[in-house]
């Protein structure tokens, strides 16, 4: 019952309902893992599908993402041990000149749900900020998003600068966004490209352990 209601809360973008239902489910001894998977992620998956088919508007996606993050915030203390154990640190951001963050925010929700340490640099992130953060945080994964064709060159610039600074071998680069293609990802020498959040999520579920810092 709670899973379905939480899922509906996510789809409806009802943050207050998601917070209360998540707390109630925990009090009723529902496991955090099942609340996350069958409630929160199930709901955001549905919104992502509708968004890809242009069946929901941008404001609706933003409300659903906010509700998702609120639910994850409630669950986060229960995943702290898992987070410490997997030791995966991911830097996430939308490249310079690009102010879009809907897809990035959905990806962020999924990443947080894995227990990874996620550093979200936000939108319009400069090459220098990406590079400085990779160096400072010793991150092993960098995920860049672009939603406009005019900002795609920024992705290549970041990868080239990683090489120049001697950081390229230590970090795996993921790229995504509407104008990004597999051909483009190969051309700029990114490590991974995913067409949508579902394929990314499936990949992480099977392979996240491979990125653990020993």
């Amino acid at each position: 019952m709670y899973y379905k209601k939480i899922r509906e809360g996510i789809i409806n973008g009802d943050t207050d309902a998601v917070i209360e239902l998540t707390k109630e489910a925990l009090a009723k001894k529902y496991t955090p893992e099942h609340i996350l998977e069958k409630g929160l992620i199930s709901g955001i998956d549905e919104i992502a599908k509708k968004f890809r088919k242009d069946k929901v508007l941008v404001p609706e996606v933003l409300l659903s993402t906010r509700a998702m993050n609120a639910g994850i915030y409630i669950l986060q203390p229960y995943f702290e041990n898992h987070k410490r154990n997997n030791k995966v640190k991911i830097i996430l951001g939308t490249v310079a000149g690009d102010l879009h963050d809907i897809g990035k925010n959905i990806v962020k929700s999924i990443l947080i749900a894995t227990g990874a340490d996620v550093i979200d640099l936000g939108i319009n992130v400069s090459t220098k900020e990406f590079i400085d953060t990779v160096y400072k945080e010793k991150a092993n994964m960098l995920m860049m998003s672009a939603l406009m064709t005019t900002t795609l060159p920024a992705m290549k610039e970041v990868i080239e600068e990683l090489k120049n600074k001697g950081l390229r071998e230590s970090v795996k680069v993921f790229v995504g966004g509407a104008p990004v293609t597999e051909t483009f990802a190969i051309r700029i020498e990114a490590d991974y490209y995913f067409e949508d959040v579902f394929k990314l999520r499936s990949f992480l579920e099977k392979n996240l352990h491979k990125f653990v810092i020993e």
Side-chain angles (χ1 to χ4, degrees), residues 1-171:
M1 179 183 74
Y2 279 102
Y3 303 140
K4 181 179 179 181
K5 287 185 176 181
I6 291 171
R7 181 177 184 274
E8 290 173 350
I10 296 293
I11 293 172
N12 295 328
D14 191 339
T15 298
D16 290 340
V18 169
I19 289 173
E20 288 305 312
L21 288 165
T22 301
K23 289 179 178 178
E24 288 178 18
L26 288 169
K28 296 283 187 179
K29 304 302 181 184
Y30 285 74
T31 67
E33 291 82 5
H34 285 162
I35 295 171
L36 179 66
E37 180 70 24
K38 299 179 181 181
L40 300 175
I41 292 180
S42 176
I44 206 67
D45 276 355
E46 182 64 25
I47 285 295
K49 289 176 185 175
K50 289 182 177 181
F51 182 62
R52 191 168 64 173
K53 296 177 181 178
D54 295 323
K55 292 185 177 181
V56 291
L57 301 175
V58 170
E60 293 174 280
V61 178
L62 293 176
L63 287 173
S64 292
T65 304
R66 185 172 67 177
M68 166 80 169
N69 288 333
I72 288 176
Y73 180 79
I74 301 298
L75 296 178
Q76 220 158 358
Y78 297 87
F79 293 108
E80 282 303 312
N81 288 334
H82 175 53
K83 178 177 175 179
R84 285 193 292 270
N85 289 335
N86 71 31
K87 299 178 183 177
V88 176
K89 184 172 285 189
I90 305 172
I91 294 171
L92 178 69
T94 304
V95 297
D98 204 316
L99 304 179
H100 298 82
D101 66 356
I102 293 175
K104 176 187 70 65
N105 288 341
I106 292 176
V107 168
K108 179 183 177 181
S109 297
I110 291 171
L111 294 177
I112 291 173
T114 67
D117 184 0
V118 182
I119 301 170
D120 183 7
L121 298 180
I123 58 176
N124 193 26
V125 182
S126 69
T127 296
K128 183 179 186 302
E129 188 174 2
F130 274 125
I131 302 302
D132 287 351
T133 308
V134 168
Y135 176 77
K136 177 184 176 183
E137 299 293 340
K138 295 180 173 56
N140 43 357
M141 298 169 71
L142 169 62
M143 295 188 174
M144 294 186 287
S145 172
L147 272 294
M148 301 188 299
T149 55
T150 53
T151 60
L152 287 177
M155 288 182 166
K156 179 176 176 59
E157 184 178 306
V158 171
I159 292 174
E160 290 302 316
E161 193 60 17
L162 284 170
K163 294 177 185 177
N164 294 339
K165 298 295 184 181
L167 299 170
R168 184 66 184 91
E169 296 303 315
S170 65
V171 62

Side-chain angles (χ1 to χ4, degrees), residues 161-198:
E161 193 60 17
L162 284 170
K163 294 177 185 177
N164 294 339
K165 298 295 184 181
L167 299 170
R168 184 66 184 91
E169 296 303 315
S170 65
V171 62
K172 296 298 183 182
V173 178
F174 292 65
V175 295
V180 182
T181 64
E182 186 173 7
T183 300
F184 173 77
I186 292 171
R187 188 165 71 244
I188 65 173
E189 299 181 52
D191 295 296
Y192 299 97
Y193 155 75
F194 293 94
E195 182 181 359
D196 55 48
V197 295
F198 309 107

